Amino acid sequence: MALDHAILVSLLEKPGSGYELARRFDRSIGYFWTATHQQIYRVLKRMEADGMLAVREVPQQGRPDKKEYSVAGPGRAALSRWLHDPIEPESLRHDLAVKIRGAAFDDPAALIGEVERHRRAHSDRLAHYLAGEVRDFTGPEAPAPLDAGRELQHVVLRGGIAYERMTIAWLDDVLATLHGLGGAAPPAATD
């Protein structure tokens, strides 16, 4: 997948400025496809030049006008072609897994702090996903019934939640193994 496709999907969900799009990447879609703000602005400019995006100037009081991007016909056609093209299952590149295997040739206990750091990051991301799910899909303020677009956003989010839960369980297993190899008792799981 190219960044172009992630931008097209986000702008079809809701048109917006480059800044708004970058914030959406920081808040939601960026957990599945990462891009820096510079990359997003560079791709927006190219996609605009290629006719994939329509742009309108939006006047603002006390600030310069902003550009609001939306998907033009050629952008919609490009996304449609991509949606119909097969993609290969993703291969997992996991630096931490290689480090864990490599620990057999050093001190396995030396990895405990790193694995704990990863576990905290995944726990934080899971908490963020769960809060977003309540806010956007299951809580009292969430619109009901959900339209097709919102249902598909929710199923992607549920996949992220399942992935984080699985990763945390695996990291707990890694920590128990590392502690077992070092002779110390593993800490109790908190999730």
Side-chain angles (χ1 to χ4, degrees):
M1 173 173 77
L3 177 56
D4 301 38
H5 301 116
I7 287 173
L8 289 168
V9 168
S10 187
L11 290 175
L12 282 167
E13 289 174 349
K14 183 177 180 183
S17 68
Y19 175 78
E20 292 163 343
L21 186 62
R23 298 255 316 151
R24 276 185 242 161
F25 267 74
D26 289 342
R27 191 174 145 228
S28 63
I29 203 166
Y31 286 114
F32 304 100
W33 187 263
T34 58
T36 66
H37 290 210
Q38 287 178 327
Q39 289 171 311
I40 291 169
Y41 282 105
R42 189 170 44 249
V43 172
L44 282 171
K45 187 175 181 178
R46 180 181 45 76
M47 292 174 74
E48 178 186 358
D50 291 346
M52 296 176 80
L53 301 178
V55 182
R56 72 179 185 100
E57 294 289 327
V58 178
Q60 300 188 107
Q61 276 189 323
R63 296 187 300 194
D65 294 349
K66 71 176 180 177
K67 288 183 172 184
E68 183 180 82
Y69 295 91
S70 60
V71 178
R76 213 175 251 279
L79 182 65
S80 181
R81 282 190 303 276
W82 178 74
L83 288 172
H84 289 90
D85 285 344
I87 57 172
E88 292 301 315
E90 295 177 8
S91 296
L92 182 63
R93 285 184 57 181
H94 203 297
D95 291 344
L96 184 60
V98 175
K99 278 189 169 198
I100 292 165
R101 286 185 63 164
F105 304 101
D106 194 60
D107 176 15
L111 277 180
I112 291 172
E114 180 69 357
V115 175
E116 288 172 339
R117 184 177 70 83
H118 280 256
R119 191 189 188 289
R120 282 190 302 275
H122 285 280
S123 292
D124 291 348
R125 186 172 296 159
L126 175 60
H128 179 79
Y129 285 174
L130 291 171
E133 182 179 41
V134 170
R135 180 191 65 233
D136 297 336
F137 300 105
T138 62
E141 302 297 318
L146 299 177
D147 62 20
R150 305 269 300 141
E151 284 286 355
L152 293 171
Q153 289 173 359
H154 192 200
V155 77
V156 170
L157 179 60
R158 290 193 310 264
I161 290 168
Y163 175 80
E164 295 305 327
R165 285 181 171 151
M166 180 275 308
T167 301
I168 291 166
W170 174 69
L171 291 169
D172 286 341
D173 187 24
V174 170
L175 286 168
T177 301
L178 291 172
H179 283 285
L181 291 172
T190 57
D191 292 326

